[in-house]
Amino acid sequence: MATWPEGVARHVLASVDSTMNEAARLAPGLSGSAWIFAHEQTAARGRRGRAWRAPQGNFAATLVMRPKGGLAHAALYSFVAALALEAALSHAAGPHARLAIKWPNDVLLSGGKIAGILLESLTPDGSQLAIGIGVNLAEVPARDTLEATAMAPVSLLGETGMRVAPQDFLPMLAQAFDHYDSQFRDYGFEAIRNAWLARAARLGETITARTGRETHTGVFETIDATGALVLRDGQGRRAISAAEIFF
């Protein structure tokens, strides 16, 4: 059983509209970091305000924290969270699980999406950050709740046969996040970047990045010091800060 990180609060709820909404409500009264976990969400949301539904037995939680360094620094916590998720899932699934991290903020198991991350700044200067995390521990979402172009979802139980209760996964994730947060604070983003690249899905392969207006296809070379995806195509190297990625 993972130990709980020192100095981090924990709020466990039977039901809530959304752990992200609860994070926003609690944040003004928090002096430090806090995990908000719910067994049920009635109005959860994903990226760009999309409705998000978690079947029973899956994991949903939000971490509220106070990063230092402004909005650009806070945005790099997407990579910290992805590393923590990959580590917690590796602990839960065992050493033979085929895990990878898909830029910018999904975790893959056996090539399918098992987890996603949502970052929202709760203040204009990025001094309070909410990191929402959803993991398919037991079931996959119904296909009709997903976008047509969405990556096929998988679950931990379906792919590995491992059954992990959401409340047991929480300390695994909290401990892993505390570890990588310490790495980030002590050694900077370069340490996080190197660890992330070692786990990156399709690094060195041809992928497609779609922004709101453009589509770019090229070789995924790296991520830069800002976390931007670097593609190499016939026109040279291109840094992309925000996009949907397709394999």
Side-chain angles (χ1 to χ4, degrees), residues 14-15 48 54-55 73 80 88-89 93 99 128 145 165 177 179 188 192 197 208 219 228 231 234 239 245:
S15 181
R48 291 194 290 277
H73 181 81
V80 176
L89 284 165
L99 291 160
Q128 277 197 321
T145 67
F177 189 95
H179 168 75
I192 297 300
L197 286 169
T208 296
V219 175
L231 282 186
I245 299 301

mmCIF file of all heavy atoms in Angstrom, residues 14-15 48 54-55 73 80 88-89 93 99 128 145 165 177 179 188 192 197 208 219 228 231 234 239 245:
data_model
loop_
_atom_site.group_PDB
_atom_site.id
_atom_site.type_symbol
_atom_site.label_atom_id
_atom_site.label_comp_id
_atom_site.label_asym_id
_atom_site.label_seq_id
_atom_site.Cartn_x
_atom_site.Cartn_y
_atom_site.Cartn_z
ATOM 1 N N ALA A 14 -18.458 11.108 -1.701
ATOM 2 C CA ALA A 14 -19.283 10.053 -2.293
ATOM 3 C C ALA A 14 -19.739 10.469 -3.685
ATOM 4 O O ALA A 14 -19.698 9.678 -4.630
ATOM 5 C CB ALA A 14 -20.479 9.759 -1.401
ATOM 6 N N SER A 15 -20.187 11.731 -3.830
ATOM 7 C CA SER A 15 -20.677 12.224 -5.112
ATOM 8 C C SER A 15 -20.439 13.730 -5.192
ATOM 9 O O SER A 15 -20.492 14.427 -4.178
ATOM 10 C CB SER A 15 -22.165 11.921 -5.267
ATOM 11 O OG SER A 15 -22.659 12.376 -6.512
ATOM 12 N N ARG A 48 -11.604 21.343 -23.374
ATOM 13 C CA ARG A 48 -12.452 22.246 -24.143
ATOM 14 C C ARG A 48 -13.921 22.132 -23.740
ATOM 15 O O ARG A 48 -14.818 22.299 -24.559
ATOM 16 C CB ARG A 48 -12.263 22.012 -25.639
ATOM 17 C CG ARG A 48 -10.876 22.453 -26.126
ATOM 18 C CD ARG A 48 -10.834 22.538 -27.632
ATOM 19 N NE ARG A 48 -10.907 21.226 -28.244
ATOM 20 C CZ ARG A 48 -9.854 20.431 -28.415
ATOM 21 N NH1 ARG A 48 -8.666 20.793 -27.997
ATOM 22 N NH2 ARG A 48 -9.990 19.260 -28.994
ATOM 23 N N ALA A 54 -17.596 8.914 -16.354
ATOM 24 C CA ALA A 54 -16.756 7.857 -15.811
ATOM 25 C C ALA A 54 -17.637 6.710 -15.334
ATOM 26 O O ALA A 54 -18.421 6.879 -14.397
ATOM 27 C CB ALA A 54 -15.916 8.384 -14.657
ATOM 28 N N PRO A 55 -17.540 5.542 -15.951
ATOM 29 C CA PRO A 55 -18.307 4.390 -15.467
ATOM 30 C C PRO A 55 -17.931 4.030 -14.034
ATOM 31 O O PRO A 55 -16.843 4.371 -13.555
ATOM 32 C CB PRO A 55 -17.907 3.275 -16.442
ATOM 33 C CG PRO A 55 -17.426 3.979 -17.669
ATOM 34 C CD PRO A 55 -16.785 5.234 -17.174
ATOM 35 N N HIS A 73 5.151 28.172 -16.258
ATOM 36 C CA HIS A 73 5.674 27.143 -15.355
ATOM 37 C C HIS A 73 4.560 26.192 -14.932
ATOM 38 O O HIS A 73 4.757 24.968 -14.903
ATOM 39 C CB HIS A 73 6.300 27.816 -14.131
ATOM 40 C CG HIS A 73 6.884 26.861 -13.147
ATOM 41 N ND1 HIS A 73 8.133 26.308 -13.303
ATOM 42 C CD2 HIS A 73 6.390 26.355 -11.988
ATOM 43 C CE1 HIS A 73 8.387 25.497 -12.290
ATOM 44 N NE2 HIS A 73 7.349 25.510 -11.477
ATOM 45 N N VAL A 80 4.519 16.559 -15.441
ATOM 46 C CA VAL A 80 4.688 15.969 -14.115
ATOM 47 C C VAL A 80 3.547 14.995 -13.831
ATOM 48 O O VAL A 80 3.754 13.867 -13.375
ATOM 49 C CB VAL A 80 4.742 17.070 -13.034
ATOM 50 C CG1 VAL A 80 4.813 16.464 -11.636
ATOM 51 C CG2 VAL A 80 5.932 18.001 -13.265
ATOM 52 N N ALA A 88 2.149 5.339 -11.380
ATOM 53 C CA ALA A 88 1.109 4.722 -10.561
ATOM 54 C C ALA A 88 0.477 3.535 -11.290
ATOM 55 O O ALA A 88 0.212 2.486 -10.681
ATOM 56 C CB ALA A 88 0.051 5.753 -10.203
ATOM 57 N N LEU A 89 0.240 3.674 -12.579
ATOM 58 C CA LEU A 89 -0.336 2.580 -13.359
ATOM 59 C C LEU A 89 0.640 1.416 -13.484
ATOM 60 O O LEU A 89 0.238 0.252 -13.453
ATOM 61 C CB LEU A 89 -0.753 3.077 -14.736
ATOM 62 C CG LEU A 89 -2.045 3.895 -14.755
ATOM 63 C CD1 LEU A 89 -2.195 4.645 -16.073
ATOM 64 C CD2 LEU A 89 -3.257 2.983 -14.525
ATOM 65 N N ALA A 93 -0.343 -2.217 -12.351
ATOM 66 C CA ALA A 93 -0.485 -3.241 -13.386
ATOM 67 C C ALA A 93 0.652 -4.246 -13.412
ATOM 68 O O ALA A 93 0.500 -5.338 -13.960
ATOM 69 C CB ALA A 93 -0.595 -2.570 -14.752
ATOM 70 N N LEU A 99 2.975 0.529 -21.167
ATOM 71 C CA LEU A 99 2.508 1.889 -20.928
ATOM 72 C C LEU A 99 3.337 2.887 -21.719
ATOM 73 O O LEU A 99 4.530 2.686 -21.947
ATOM 74 C CB LEU A 99 2.602 2.226 -19.430
ATOM 75 C CG LEU A 99 1.628 1.482 -18.519
ATOM 76 C CD1 LEU A 99 2.118 1.511 -17.079
ATOM 77 C CD2 LEU A 99 0.235 2.109 -18.610
ATOM 78 N N GLN A 128 -2.610 29.313 -8.594
ATOM 79 C CA GLN A 128 -3.388 28.167 -8.122
ATOM 80 C C GLN A 128 -3.787 27.334 -9.335
ATOM 81 O O GLN A 128 -4.354 27.849 -10.301
ATOM 82 C CB GLN A 128 -4.625 28.604 -7.350
ATOM 83 C CG GLN A 128 -4.350 28.921 -5.884
ATOM 84 C CD GLN A 128 -5.616 28.942 -5.061
ATOM 85 O OE1 GLN A 128 -6.658 29.412 -5.509
ATOM 86 N NE2 GLN A 128 -5.550 28.428 -3.850
ATOM 87 N N THR A 145 -20.226 8.023 -26.382
ATOM 88 C CA THR A 145 -19.890 9.210 -25.594
ATOM 89 C C THR A 145 -18.575 9.829 -26.042
ATOM 90 O O THR A 145 -18.183 10.869 -25.535
ATOM 91 C CB THR A 145 -19.791 8.870 -24.093
ATOM 92 O OG1 THR A 145 -18.660 8.004 -23.871
ATOM 93 C CG2 THR A 145 -21.058 8.185 -23.605
ATOM 94 N N ALA A 165 -9.258 -0.851 -6.836
ATOM 95 C CA ALA A 165 -10.324 0.056 -6.431
ATOM 96 C C ALA A 165 -9.858 1.498 -6.558
ATOM 97 O O ALA A 165 -8.695 1.795 -6.283
ATOM 98 C CB ALA A 165 -10.737 -0.223 -4.987
ATOM 99 N N PHE A 177 3.041 11.444 -7.752
ATOM 100 C CA PHE A 177 3.065 12.865 -8.086
ATOM 101 C C PHE A 177 4.026 13.612 -7.170
ATOM 102 O O PHE A 177 4.780 14.482 -7.622
ATOM 103 C CB PHE A 177 1.667 13.479 -7.993
ATOM 104 C CG PHE A 177 1.602 14.872 -8.537
ATOM 105 C CD1 PHE A 177 1.210 15.093 -9.854
ATOM 106 C CD2 PHE A 177 1.955 15.967 -7.768
ATOM 107 C CE1 PHE A 177 1.178 16.363 -10.379
ATOM 108 C CE2 PHE A 177 1.922 17.249 -8.282
ATOM 109 C CZ PHE A 177 1.529 17.454 -9.598
ATOM 110 N N HIS A 179 6.669 12.517 -5.813
ATOM 111 C CA HIS A 179 8.036 12.209 -6.247
ATOM 112 C C HIS A 179 8.458 13.086 -7.428
ATOM 113 O O HIS A 179 9.522 13.723 -7.401
ATOM 114 C CB HIS A 179 8.137 10.736 -6.628
ATOM 115 C CG HIS A 179 9.392 10.387 -7.355
ATOM 116 N ND1 HIS A 179 10.623 10.274 -6.738
ATOM 117 C CD2 HIS A 179 9.626 10.146 -8.682
ATOM 118 C CE1 HIS A 179 11.547 9.976 -7.620
ATOM 119 N NE2 HIS A 179 10.974 9.896 -8.813
ATOM 120 N N GLY A 188 14.477 21.080 -11.981
ATOM 121 C CA GLY A 188 13.950 21.820 -13.107
ATOM 122 C C GLY A 188 13.284 20.946 -14.151
ATOM 123 O O GLY A 188 13.225 19.715 -14.036
ATOM 124 N N ILE A 192 12.397 16.446 -15.815
ATOM 125 C CA ILE A 192 11.062 15.959 -16.174
ATOM 126 C C ILE A 192 10.997 15.652 -17.665
ATOM 127 O O ILE A 192 10.451 14.625 -18.085
ATOM 128 C CB ILE A 192 9.996 16.991 -15.780
ATOM 129 C CG1 ILE A 192 9.982 17.201 -14.264
ATOM 130 C CG2 ILE A 192 8.616 16.585 -16.292
ATOM 131 C CD1 ILE A 192 9.685 15.958 -13.459
ATOM 132 N N LEU A 197 10.374 11.936 -22.133
ATOM 133 C CA LEU A 197 10.777 11.449 -23.452
ATOM 134 C C LEU A 197 11.085 9.957 -23.431
ATOM 135 O O LEU A 197 10.849 9.250 -24.423
ATOM 136 C CB LEU A 197 11.998 12.235 -23.954
ATOM 137 C CG LEU A 197 11.718 13.664 -24.425
ATOM 138 C CD1 LEU A 197 13.015 14.419 -24.635
ATOM 139 C CD2 LEU A 197 10.881 13.659 -25.713
ATOM 140 N N THR A 208 0.579 12.949 -36.813
ATOM 141 C CA THR A 208 -0.147 14.106 -37.330
ATOM 142 C C THR A 208 -0.630 14.956 -36.172
ATOM 143 O O THR A 208 -1.187 14.450 -35.204
ATOM 144 C CB THR A 208 -1.351 13.666 -38.180
ATOM 145 O OG1 THR A 208 -0.873 12.961 -39.333
ATOM 146 C CG2 THR A 208 -2.172 14.867 -38.647
ATOM 147 N N VAL A 219 7.835 13.841 -38.427
ATOM 148 C CA VAL A 219 8.469 12.959 -37.456
ATOM 149 C C VAL A 219 8.495 13.650 -36.098
ATOM 150 O O VAL A 219 8.933 14.799 -35.977
ATOM 151 C CB VAL A 219 9.892 12.594 -37.900
ATOM 152 C CG1 VAL A 219 10.601 11.767 -36.827
ATOM 153 C CG2 VAL A 219 9.857 11.822 -39.215
ATOM 154 N N ALA A 228 6.625 22.188 -25.821
ATOM 155 C CA ALA A 228 6.042 22.133 -27.161
ATOM 156 C C ALA A 228 6.531 20.898 -27.911
ATOM 157 O O ALA A 228 7.680 20.467 -27.763
ATOM 158 C CB ALA A 228 6.401 23.397 -27.950
ATOM 159 N N LEU A 231 8.095 18.769 -34.430
ATOM 160 C CA LEU A 231 7.931 17.918 -35.608
ATOM 161 C C LEU A 231 8.944 18.303 -36.673
ATOM 162 O O LEU A 231 9.233 19.487 -36.866
ATOM 163 C CB LEU A 231 6.527 18.071 -36.196
ATOM 164 C CG LEU A 231 5.335 17.377 -35.553
ATOM 165 C CD1 LEU A 231 4.106 17.591 -36.419
ATOM 166 C CD2 LEU A 231 5.577 15.911 -35.326
ATOM 167 N N GLY A 234 9.056 18.174 -44.351
ATOM 168 C CA GLY A 234 9.813 18.631 -45.508
ATOM 169 C C GLY A 234 10.212 20.091 -45.454
ATOM 170 O O GLY A 234 11.114 20.523 -46.186
ATOM 171 N N ALA A 239 7.864 23.741 -33.985
ATOM 172 C CA ALA A 239 7.424 23.579 -32.595
ATOM 173 C C ALA A 239 5.931 23.893 -32.511
ATOM 174 O O ALA A 239 5.481 24.945 -32.976
ATOM 175 C CB ALA A 239 8.210 24.493 -31.667
ATOM 176 N N ILE A 245 -3.221 15.106 -31.344
ATOM 177 C CA ILE A 245 -2.255 14.246 -32.002
ATOM 178 C C ILE A 245 -2.946 12.961 -32.467
ATOM 179 O O ILE A 245 -3.719 12.345 -31.746
ATOM 180 C CB ILE A 245 -1.098 13.888 -31.042
ATOM 181 C CG1 ILE A 245 -0.372 15.174 -30.601
ATOM 182 C CG2 ILE A 245 -0.123 12.924 -31.698
ATOM 183 C CD1 ILE A 245 0.204 15.981 -31.750
#
